[in-house]
Tab-separated table of all heavy atoms in Angstrom:
chain	number	residue	atom	x	y	z
N	165	LEU	N	8.979	-2.560	9.232
N	165	LEU	CA	9.722	-1.431	9.773
N	165	LEU	C	9.965	-0.340	8.741
N	165	LEU	O	10.275	0.790	9.106
N	165	LEU	CB	11.056	-1.902	10.348
N	165	LEU	CG	10.972	-2.885	11.517
N	165	LEU	CD1	12.368	-3.294	11.959
N	165	LEU	CD2	10.202	-2.274	12.677
N	166	MET	N	9.840	-0.686	7.458
N	166	MET	CA	10.095	0.285	6.407
N	166	MET	C	9.169	0.028	5.227
N	166	MET	O	8.990	-1.113	4.812
N	166	MET	CB	11.549	0.223	5.955
N	166	MET	CG	11.914	1.209	4.859
N	166	MET	SD	13.656	1.122	4.395
N	166	MET	CE	14.425	1.725	5.908
N	167	THR	N	8.596	1.095	4.695
N	167	THR	CA	7.823	1.035	3.466
N	167	THR	C	8.366	2.054	2.483
N	167	THR	O	8.883	3.103	2.873
N	167	THR	CB	6.327	1.297	3.707
N	167	THR	OG1	6.159	2.536	4.408
N	167	THR	CG2	5.705	0.180	4.532
N	168	THR	N	8.264	1.736	1.211
N	168	THR	CA	8.725	2.599	0.136
N	168	THR	C	7.662	2.632	-0.952
N	168	THR	O	7.069	1.598	-1.276
N	168	THR	CB	10.057	2.094	-0.453
N	168	THR	OG1	11.050	2.042	0.579
N	168	THR	CG2	10.555	3.023	-1.564
N	169	TYR	N	7.430	3.814	-1.531
N	169	TYR	CA	6.394	3.974	-2.536
N	169	TYR	C	6.922	4.698	-3.765
N	169	TYR	O	7.818	5.548	-3.667
N	169	TYR	CB	5.213	4.772	-1.988
N	169	TYR	CG	4.543	4.141	-0.801
N	169	TYR	CD1	4.902	4.495	0.489
N	169	TYR	CD2	3.545	3.187	-0.974
N	169	TYR	CE1	4.289	3.915	1.584
N	169	TYR	CE2	2.926	2.603	0.113
N	169	TYR	CZ	3.304	2.964	1.395
N	169	TYR	OH	2.689	2.385	2.481
N	170	ALA	N	6.352	4.364	-4.910
N	170	ALA	CA	6.595	5.162	-6.095
N	170	ALA	C	6.040	6.568	-5.877
N	170	ALA	O	5.028	6.751	-5.190
N	170	ALA	CB	5.934	4.519	-7.309
N	171	ASP	N	6.700	7.562	-6.476
N	171	ASP	CA	6.246	8.937	-6.307
N	171	ASP	C	4.800	9.128	-6.756
N	171	ASP	O	4.069	9.936	-6.179
N	171	ASP	CB	7.153	9.887	-7.089
N	171	ASP	CG	8.526	10.043	-6.461
N	171	ASP	OD1	8.693	9.692	-5.276
N	171	ASP	OD2	9.434	10.527	-7.158
N	172	SER	N	4.386	8.390	-7.761
N	172	SER	CA	3.061	8.556	-8.324
N	172	SER	C	1.937	8.149	-7.375
N	172	SER	O	0.796	8.582	-7.550
N	172	SER	CB	2.940	7.774	-9.633
N	172	SER	OG	3.157	6.391	-9.415
N	173	VAL	N	2.247	7.317	-6.386
N	173	VAL	CA	1.213	6.833	-5.469
N	173	VAL	C	1.430	7.295	-4.038
N	173	VAL	O	0.563	7.055	-3.182
N	173	VAL	CB	1.102	5.292	-5.501
N	173	VAL	CG1	0.929	4.793	-6.931
N	173	VAL	CG2	2.316	4.641	-4.847
N	174	LYS	N	2.531	7.944	-3.771
N	174	LYS	CA	2.859	8.368	-2.410
N	174	LYS	C	1.770	9.281	-1.855
N	174	LYS	O	1.339	10.226	-2.507
N	174	LYS	CB	4.211	9.074	-2.402
N	174	LYS	CG	4.795	9.303	-1.022
N	174	LYS	CD	6.188	9.924	-1.121
N	174	LYS	CE	7.142	9.025	-1.876
N	174	LYS	NZ	8.512	9.609	-1.959
N	175	GLY	N	1.326	8.976	-0.653
N	175	GLY	CA	0.277	9.746	-0.016
N	175	GLY	C	-1.115	9.223	-0.282
N	175	GLY	O	-2.068	9.626	0.409
N	176	ARG	N	-1.265	8.355	-1.281
N	176	ARG	CA	-2.573	7.793	-1.621
N	176	ARG	C	-2.665	6.295	-1.366
N	176	ARG	O	-3.738	5.786	-1.061
N	176	ARG	CB	-2.907	8.057	-3.090
N	176	ARG	CG	-3.023	9.530	-3.439
N	176	ARG	CD	-3.517	9.721	-4.871
N	176	ARG	NE	-2.575	9.165	-5.840
N	176	ARG	CZ	-2.818	8.117	-6.615
N	176	ARG	NH1	-3.998	7.492	-6.548
N	176	ARG	NH2	-1.906	7.686	-7.472
N	177	PHE	N	-1.557	5.591	-1.515
N	177	PHE	CA	-1.530	4.138	-1.339
N	177	PHE	C	-0.803	3.796	-0.044
N	177	PHE	O	0.140	4.483	0.355
N	177	PHE	CB	-0.797	3.460	-2.491
N	177	PHE	CG	-1.532	3.444	-3.801
N	177	PHE	CD1	-2.624	4.254	-4.034
N	177	PHE	CD2	-1.102	2.596	-4.808
N	177	PHE	CE1	-3.290	4.236	-5.251
N	177	PHE	CE2	-1.751	2.567	-6.026
N	177	PHE	CZ	-2.846	3.383	-6.249
N	178	THR	N	-1.223	2.710	0.586
N	178	THR	CA	-0.581	2.234	1.799
N	178	THR	C	-0.382	0.731	1.718
N	178	THR	O	-1.335	-0.009	1.474
N	178	THR	CB	-1.406	2.566	3.049
N	178	THR	OG1	-1.614	3.975	3.140
N	178	THR	CG2	-0.682	2.090	4.310
N	179	ILE	N	0.854	0.288	1.939
N	179	ILE	CA	1.159	-1.136	2.024
N	179	ILE	C	1.240	-1.531	3.494
N	179	ILE	O	1.839	-0.816	4.300
N	179	ILE	CB	2.485	-1.475	1.320
N	179	ILE	CG1	2.375	-1.222	-0.178
N	179	ILE	CG2	2.881	-2.926	1.570
N	179	ILE	CD1	3.676	-1.442	-0.918
N	180	SER	N	0.641	-2.656	3.817
N	180	SER	CA	0.738	-3.204	5.163
N	180	SER	C	0.811	-4.719	5.070
N	180	SER	O	0.576	-5.301	4.011
N	180	SER	CB	-0.448	-2.766	6.028
N	180	SER	OG	-1.669	-3.233	5.496
N	181	ARG	N	1.163	-5.355	6.173
N	181	ARG	CA	1.184	-6.819	6.183
N	181	ARG	C	0.785	-7.344	7.547
N	181	ARG	O	0.984	-6.688	8.569
N	181	ARG	CB	2.564	-7.354	5.772
N	181	ARG	CG	3.688	-7.040	6.745
N	181	ARG	CD	5.054	-7.331	6.117
N	181	ARG	NE	5.262	-8.749	5.877
N	181	ARG	CZ	6.242	-9.240	5.109
N	181	ARG	NH1	7.082	-8.415	4.490
N	181	ARG	NH2	6.361	-10.558	4.957
N	182	ASP	N	0.217	-8.533	7.527
N	182	ASP	CA	-0.151	-9.249	8.738
N	182	ASP	C	0.551	-10.594	8.654
N	182	ASP	O	0.082	-11.506	7.976
N	182	ASP	CB	-1.663	-9.404	8.836
N	182	ASP	CG	-2.108	-10.029	10.145
N	182	ASP	OD1	-1.286	-10.676	10.820
N	182	ASP	OD2	-3.290	-9.869	10.499
N	183	ASN	N	1.681	-10.700	9.323
N	183	ASN	CA	2.485	-11.915	9.209
N	183	ASN	C	1.792	-13.136	9.810
N	183	ASN	O	2.062	-14.266	9.390
N	183	ASN	CB	3.850	-11.703	9.860
N	183	ASN	CG	4.740	-10.786	9.044
N	183	ASN	OD1	4.508	-10.572	7.855
N	183	ASN	ND2	5.762	-10.225	9.681
N	184	ALA	N	0.914	-12.931	10.776
N	184	ALA	CA	0.164	-14.037	11.343
N	184	ALA	C	-0.799	-14.644	10.332
N	184	ALA	O	-1.170	-15.813	10.443
N	184	ALA	CB	-0.599	-13.587	12.586
N	185	LYS	N	-1.214	-13.848	9.343
N	185	LYS	CA	-2.125	-14.305	8.304
N	185	LYS	C	-1.428	-14.548	6.973
N	185	LYS	O	-2.094	-14.850	5.980
N	185	LYS	CB	-3.259	-13.303	8.112
N	185	LYS	CG	-4.142	-13.130	9.332
N	185	LYS	CD	-5.260	-12.143	9.059
N	185	LYS	CE	-6.172	-12.005	10.262
N	185	LYS	NZ	-7.272	-11.035	10.009
N	186	ASN	N	-0.117	-14.398	6.927
N	186	ASN	CA	0.652	-14.560	5.685
N	186	ASN	C	0.095	-13.691	4.562
N	186	ASN	O	0.010	-14.120	3.409
N	186	ASN	CB	0.665	-16.024	5.240
N	186	ASN	CG	1.704	-16.852	5.969
N	186	ASN	OD1	2.212	-16.477	7.024
N	186	ASN	ND2	2.030	-18.015	5.402
N	187	THR	N	-0.262	-12.461	4.894
N	187	THR	CA	-0.957	-11.599	3.940
N	187	THR	C	-0.333	-10.213	3.894
N	187	THR	O	-0.008	-9.640	4.934
N	187	THR	CB	-2.443	-11.480	4.302
N	187	THR	OG1	-3.032	-12.787	4.339
N	187	THR	CG2	-3.184	-10.638	3.280
N	188	VAL	N	-0.205	-9.686	2.683
N	188	VAL	CA	0.196	-8.308	2.468
N	188	VAL	C	-0.951	-7.594	1.769
N	188	VAL	O	-1.654	-8.192	0.940
N	188	VAL	CB	1.518	-8.213	1.669
N	188	VAL	CG1	1.374	-8.822	0.282
N	188	VAL	CG2	1.991	-6.765	1.582
N	189	TYR	N	-1.157	-6.321	2.099
N	189	TYR	CA	-2.274	-5.550	1.584
N	189	TYR	C	-1.788	-4.315	0.843
N	189	TYR	O	-0.716	-3.773	1.126
N	189	TYR	CB	-3.185	-5.085	2.720
N	189	TYR	CG	-3.697	-6.195	3.600
N	189	TYR	CD1	-3.023	-6.552	4.763
N	189	TYR	CD2	-4.854	-6.883	3.269
N	189	TYR	CE1	-3.489	-7.565	5.574
N	189	TYR	CE2	-5.328	-7.903	4.082
N	189	TYR	CZ	-4.643	-8.238	5.230
N	189	TYR	OH	-5.109	-9.248	6.039
N	190	LEU	N	-2.609	-3.873	-0.087
N	190	LEU	CA	-2.392	-2.596	-0.753
N	190	LEU	C	-3.698	-1.816	-0.698
N	190	LEU	O	-4.653	-2.155	-1.399
N	190	LEU	CB	-1.942	-2.784	-2.203
N	190	LEU	CG	-1.674	-1.495	-2.982
N	190	LEU	CD1	-0.485	-0.735	-2.386
N	190	LEU	CD2	-1.426	-1.792	-4.459
N	191	GLN	N	-3.736	-0.794	0.142
N	191	GLN	CA	-4.883	0.098	0.230
N	191	GLN	C	-4.672	1.243	-0.748
N	191	GLN	O	-3.675	1.962	-0.655
N	191	GLN	CB	-5.033	0.631	1.656
N	191	GLN	CG	-6.086	1.723	1.810
N	191	GLN	CD	-7.487	1.222	1.552
N	191	GLN	OE1	-7.880	0.183	2.074
N	191	GLN	NE2	-8.248	1.949	0.746
N	192	MET	N	-5.607	1.410	-1.671
N	192	MET	CA	-5.493	2.407	-2.719
N	192	MET	C	-6.623	3.413	-2.588
N	192	MET	O	-7.800	3.038	-2.586
N	192	MET	CB	-5.530	1.748	-4.101
N	192	MET	CG	-4.466	0.669	-4.294
N	192	MET	SD	-4.492	-0.049	-5.957
N	192	MET	CE	-6.038	-0.957	-5.881
N	193	ASN	N	-6.276	4.685	-2.495
N	193	ASN	CA	-7.244	5.764	-2.388
N	193	ASN	C	-7.110	6.714	-3.569
N	193	ASN	O	-6.064	6.797	-4.205
N	193	ASN	CB	-7.043	6.540	-1.083
N	193	ASN	CG	-7.269	5.700	0.148
N	193	ASN	OD1	-8.118	4.808	0.166
N	193	ASN	ND2	-6.511	5.980	1.206
N	194	SER	N	-8.178	7.446	-3.839
N	194	SER	CA	-8.193	8.462	-4.896
N	194	SER	C	-7.698	7.901	-6.224
N	194	SER	O	-6.853	8.493	-6.903
N	194	SER	CB	-7.357	9.679	-4.481
N	194	SER	OG	-7.847	10.245	-3.285
N	195	LEU	N	-8.227	6.768	-6.613
N	195	LEU	CA	-7.787	6.099	-7.831
N	195	LEU	C	-8.132	6.903	-9.076
N	195	LEU	O	-9.185	7.540	-9.150
N	195	LEU	CB	-8.397	4.707	-7.913
N	195	LEU	CG	-7.731	3.678	-6.998
N	195	LEU	CD1	-8.647	2.487	-6.766
N	195	LEU	CD2	-6.412	3.218	-7.611
N	196	GLN	N	-7.250	6.861	-10.052
N	196	GLN	CA	-7.375	7.595	-11.299
N	196	GLN	C	-7.482	6.633	-12.479
N	196	GLN	O	-7.062	5.482	-12.398
N	196	GLN	CB	-6.158	8.512	-11.486
N	196	GLN	CG	-5.933	9.469	-10.321
N	196	GLN	CD	-4.564	10.103	-10.335
N	196	GLN	OE1	-3.721	9.788	-11.174
N	196	GLN	NE2	-4.329	11.016	-9.405
N	197	PHE	N	-8.053	7.126	-13.601
N	197	PHE	CA	-8.208	6.306	-14.801
N	197	PHE	C	-6.910	5.623	-15.199
N	197	PHE	O	-6.903	4.443	-15.575
N	197	PHE	CB	-8.691	7.166	-15.972
N	197	PHE	CG	-10.121	7.595	-15.881
N	197	PHE	CD1	-10.437	8.937	-15.780
N	197	PHE	CD2	-11.148	6.666	-15.917
N	197	PHE	CE1	-11.753	9.347	-15.717
N	197	PHE	CE2	-12.470	7.069	-15.846
N	197	PHE	CZ	-12.772	8.408	-15.746
């Protein structure tokens, strides 16, 4: 129901979870060095 992000990754990273699979994900876009 709620997600929170560090300012440095806001808009580029997405956290999601699938409770049926006991799994949390981190989708990372536009990655930097």
Side-chain angles (χ1 to χ4, degrees):
L165 298 178
M166 180 178 293
T167 54
T168 301
Y169 300 94
D171 288 343
S172 60
V173 307
K174 192 176 300 181
R176 297 187 297 113
F177 288 15
T178 302
I179 295 176
S180 62
R181 66 193 293 166
D182 185 340
N183 288 341
K185 297 181 178 180
N186 278 18
T187 303
V188 62
Y189 305 93
L190 181 65
Q191 172 66 48
M192 304 182 290
N193 297 326
S194 301
L195 283 161
Q196 304 165 356
F197 287 117

